[in-house]
């Protein structure tokens, strides 16, 4: 009986350890951190790629599940969802002001975001730095590609308003303080990979903005592509699965 009980105890111990390991693989907790002036939430610890996820002007909450899903699909990488300047995530607020979500892609805010991405790059070892950004996040990313050349290796910019004066003219209100990504194409390094993605039915940041931005980038010899997502609008909900697939392809390539 003693030998049998000892054998059963070992079996229970092995099962407990196995289940604990399985739980850790499935439920990797996220960590809230400050990256210089920018707050972020970290998923995973892989070193193949560091992936920065940036939200649009409505705030970061809607894209949190995307960041977590991207981390689960790519356990060899670290995914950081950042709050853009003036926004908060996990109870921590990034420096800067979002000006009530108006005319806030400014030089100051873009510099703060660049500092945050640079701090994350130094804190987490990686082979490449990938940014996946939606709407206003894509606008700021597009500017950083030229104003801080070499900071980002691959930019997946979703629903981006790449020509700010043209975009705001269609919306009826100018944003004179915001930097326009299309003005900085000449400063983007040839090795940077640019991927623009927009829903075919997007009536806000219309597909023509991304299409024309990519055409001008290609004319300058840059590695740029444009993908229109059928039956998708500006809402990230309609774009999430295609963007997960595109981002995962770039992370794993």
């Amino acid at each position: 009986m003693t030998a049998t009980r000892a054998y059963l105890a070992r079996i229970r111990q092995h099962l407990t350890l196995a289940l604990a390991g399985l739980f850790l693989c499935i439920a990797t907790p996220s960590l809230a951190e400050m990256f210089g002036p920018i707050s972020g939430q970290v998923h995973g610890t892989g070193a193949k790629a560091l992936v920065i996820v940036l939200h649009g002007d409505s705030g970061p909450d809607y894209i949190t599940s995307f960041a977590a899903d991207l981390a689960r699909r790519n356990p060899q990488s670290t995914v950081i969802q950042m709050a853009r300047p003036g926004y908060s995530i996990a109870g921590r607020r990034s420096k800067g002001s979002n000006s009530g979500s108006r005319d806030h892609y400014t030089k100051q805010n873009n510099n703060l975001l660049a500092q945050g991405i640079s701090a994350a790059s130094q804190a987490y070892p990686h082979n490449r730095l990938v940014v996946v950004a939606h709407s206003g996040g894509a606008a700021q990313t597009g500017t950083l590609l030229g104003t801080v050349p070499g900071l980002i290796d691959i930019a997946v910019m979703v629903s981006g308003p790449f020509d700010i004066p043209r975009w705001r003219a269609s919306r009826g209100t100018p944003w004179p303080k915001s930097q326009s990504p299309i003005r900085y194409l000449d400063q983007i390094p040839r090795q940077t990979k640019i991927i623009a993605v927009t829903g075919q039915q997007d009536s806000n940041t219309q597909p023509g903005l991304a299409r024309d931005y990519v055409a001008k980038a290609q004319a300058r010899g840059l590695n740029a592509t444009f993908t229109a997502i059928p039956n998708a609008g500006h809402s990230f909900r309609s774009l999430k699965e295609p963007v997960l697939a595109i981002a995962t392809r770039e992370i794993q390539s």
Side-chain angles (χ1 to χ4, degrees):
M1 289 295 292
T2 301
T4 301
R5 282 197 297 269
Y7 173 76
L8 291 174
R10 286 197 299 272
I11 292 295
R12 283 195 296 269
Q13 184 181 28
H14 291 159
L15 286 173
T16 299
L17 290 172
L19 288 171
L22 178 62
F23 177 78
L24 287 172
C25 291
I26 294 173
T28 302
S30 59
L31 301 173
E33 292 188 30
M34 290 297 297
F35 300 96
I38 299 297
S39 62
Q41 198 161 15
V42 184
H43 305 264
T45 57
K48 181 171 184 180
L50 174 61
V51 187
I52 307 297
V53 174
L54 298 175
H55 58 88
D57 294 347
S58 63
D61 291 349
Y62 74 91
I63 209 167
T64 299
S65 64
F66 170 84
D69 288 347
L70 189 62
R72 279 191 287 268
R73 291 194 187 188
N74 299 277
Q76 74 279 35
S77 299
T78 299
V79 177
I80 303 176
Q81 181 193 359
M82 286 188 169
R84 290 165 48 208
Y87 292 90
S88 299
I89 188 171
R92 300 191 181 197
R93 187 175 184 84
S94 295
K95 290 185 179 180
S97 172
N98 61 29
S99 301
S101 299
R102 295 185 298 272
D103 198 12
H104 56 302
Y105 314 154
T106 62
K107 182 177 182 180
Q108 179 183 5
N109 281 342
N110 289 336
N111 286 342
L112 289 171
L113 183 58
Q115 291 172 35
I117 294 173
S118 179
S121 178
Q122 294 174 38
Y124 287 88
H126 57 279
N127 293 327
R128 67 183 71 173
L129 196 153
V130 181
V131 174
V132 183
H134 178 236
S135 192
Q140 292 192 271
T141 299
T143 294
L144 294 187
L145 294 181
T147 58
V148 194
L151 175 65
I152 298 166
D153 298 309
I154 303 172
V156 181
M157 297 179 288
V158 185
S159 309
F162 297 99
D163 186 336
I164 301 299
R166 175 180 164 190
W167 172 55
R168 294 316 304 173
S170 71
R171 306 293 290 175
T173 52
W175 283 14
K177 297 178 182 178
S178 292
Q179 293 182 302
S180 185
I182 205 164
R183 293 186 58 189
Y184 302 96
L185 280 170
D186 288 336
Q187 297 156 242
I188 299 176
R190 294 289 181 91
Q191 65 267 26
T192 302
K193 190 170 187 179
I194 300 169
I195 300 167
V197 181
T198 304
Q200 283 185 342
Q201 309 303 319
D202 193 330
S203 59
N204 182 352
T205 55
Q206 300 174 5
L209 292 168
R211 186 180 293 111
D212 292 349
Y213 172 81
V214 165
K216 290 184 177 183
Q218 291 174 341
R220 289 163 170 78
L222 297 176
N223 182 1
T225 58
F226 170 66
T227 299
I229 305 299
N231 305 314
H234 190 73
S235 169
F236 195 77
R237 182 180 301 175
S238 63
L239 298 159
K240 179 180 177 181
E241 288 303 322
V243 174
L244 272 172
I246 291 169
T248 297
R249 179 194 70 202
E250 296 304 319
I251 292 167
Q252 298 183 358
S253 63

